[in-house]
Amino acid sequence: MPSVFIKTYGCQMNERDSEAVAAQLVAKGYSLAPSEAAADVVLLNTCSVRDLAEQKAMNKMKNLVGMANKNRPGQILGYLGCMAQSRGQELIDKLPDVDLVLGTQKFHRAAEYLDELLAGTRKKIVDVEAEAKSEATIREHLLNGSAKTSVSAFVSIMQGCNQHCTFCIVPATRGEERSRTIPDIVAECRELVARGVREITLLGQIVTSFGKRDLPAIGRADPPISLGPDAQQCVPTMQLSPFVQLLDTVHEIQGLERIRFTSPHPKGYGDDLIEAFARLPKLCESAHIPLQSGSDRILKLMHRGYTREKFLNIVEKLRRAKPGIGITTDIIVGFPGETEEDFEMTLSLAREVQFDNAYIFKYSPRRDTPAAEMPDQVPLAIREERNERLLNLVNEIAARKYDAFIGRQVEILVEGPSKKNAARYTGRTRCNRIVLFDGSQRHQGQLMDVKIERTGSFTLYGDPAVVNL
Ligand code: 5AD
């Protein structure tokens, strides 16, 4: 049977899509090749969020074409995912040796199309059509592949985004928001737990908008905890958004230990979600809240729908509801029109919030997005300079926060051997920090306590012996 190698660029959603395609192909009798050179089929699952990600995948494909022509004529080469969706046929026009271009609503057709290409019944396939109900087709998992994936799994709960931030290409690559049903998602989670999974990350481009179009918010009696003076607890019932209803339902699954989600929008952190962090013990104290900018003027130009003050308010409420919660963010520097003063607002907000980590992106103009046409595009040199300044600040704060763990005891879920050093095992704290320790196979999949002895770059080093005597 043919073998396939899939290389993934971009976000966790892309990782999940690749896993589902791999699982689908394995179920159809394909094997997973150990390298590109050894594979009958090579697929690049692509990202379009920034130009750099697109360039990387296109350069990779050029190399693959060169190698295939030299060493492996007949090798099937394909693009999947976001760039496939946004560029379509153009990718084959540029590189005529590419055989397959498969969009974000068509992952479930991969096996069928590859069979046709391998059999020679079709020469080229481009399928980037929209397909109703495709959001429910990413459900196969490959738990027997790497040891790590069997402990922790991603579950796709919705696709697409209607927010239309002016910088963002995602509405064009992933389409309109479509959500799976709660029973369908819960059935998938239950099946994963029955197969040994202990941690589930619920995934979507804007998970906090889950089910908004299909499910009403429901009321629930008095919230049991205090969220502070301006929170909703003065009213007798709290409205639970469909996303929080989903969290509640997934939380009931016996044997599941930890729940995470990504990626949310700040506007989704209503009191119901903040209260869920305090109420649901399995919901890990880790929140990614994409800030993008600390300047209200820029936030408005970005069409983000919140202000600096609103953002700070969310962080404050979360920390009150769940002390010690890990807070991470995404920030764009050099958005069109961003002045030094705007940028300094971002620096000051980063200082104020003290993020546990922040992913910083230099603004990259994307085709057919409003921001690409805005006046006052910021020169690359300034974007680079701001990137560096913000990165220094964020790293300094993050390092201090990591150091604060030294001497503390934390609970980790052990994922498996470390990639770099097989004698070391790797796990994650509930607030999503990576911990390395001297472990063995028997630790795999265990929830255990370790004492943090020292820190490395975005890593904690733990000792289980001290606390598990
Ligand atoms: N340029 C730079 N960064 C971007 N992101 C999204 N679009 C762009 C763009 N055009 C960043 C945002 C988002 C993260 C996934 O990627 O910060 O949260």
Side-chain angles (χ1 to χ4, degrees), residues 4 6 15-32 43 107-108 110-111 137-145 149 188 191-192 195:
V4 60
I6 307 178
E15 296 284 345
R16 172 72 195 106
D17 293 336
S18 293
E19 189 211 357
V21 169
Q24 176 202 135
L25 293 173
V26 167
K28 292 271 158 65
Y30 286 69
S31 63
L32 299 179
L43 303 174
F107 291 114
H108 57 292
T137 57
I138 307 294
R139 44 174 318 137
E140 273 74 34
H141 289 262
L142 198 70
L143 294 180
N144 50 355
T149 51
E188 183 177 330
E191 200 183 304
L192 287 166
R195 290 165 73 185

Side-chain angles (χ1 to χ4, degrees), residues 96 165 181 399 402 440-441 448 456 460:
C165 299
T181 65
Y402 271 76
S440 64
Q441 177 60 35
M448 59 190 274
L460 301 172

Side-chain angles (χ1 to χ4, degrees), residues 205-239:
Q205 278 80 36
I206 179 159
V207 282
T208 40
S209 293
F210 169 81
K212 278 240 164 96
R213 297 171 148 200
D214 326 295
L215 292 169
I218 56 166
R220 197 176 61 72
D222 289 306
I225 56 125
S226 163
L227 298 175
D230 60 339
Q232 276 183 16
Q233 88 259 27
C234 47
V235 292
T237 58
M238 178 177 273
Q239 292 295 110

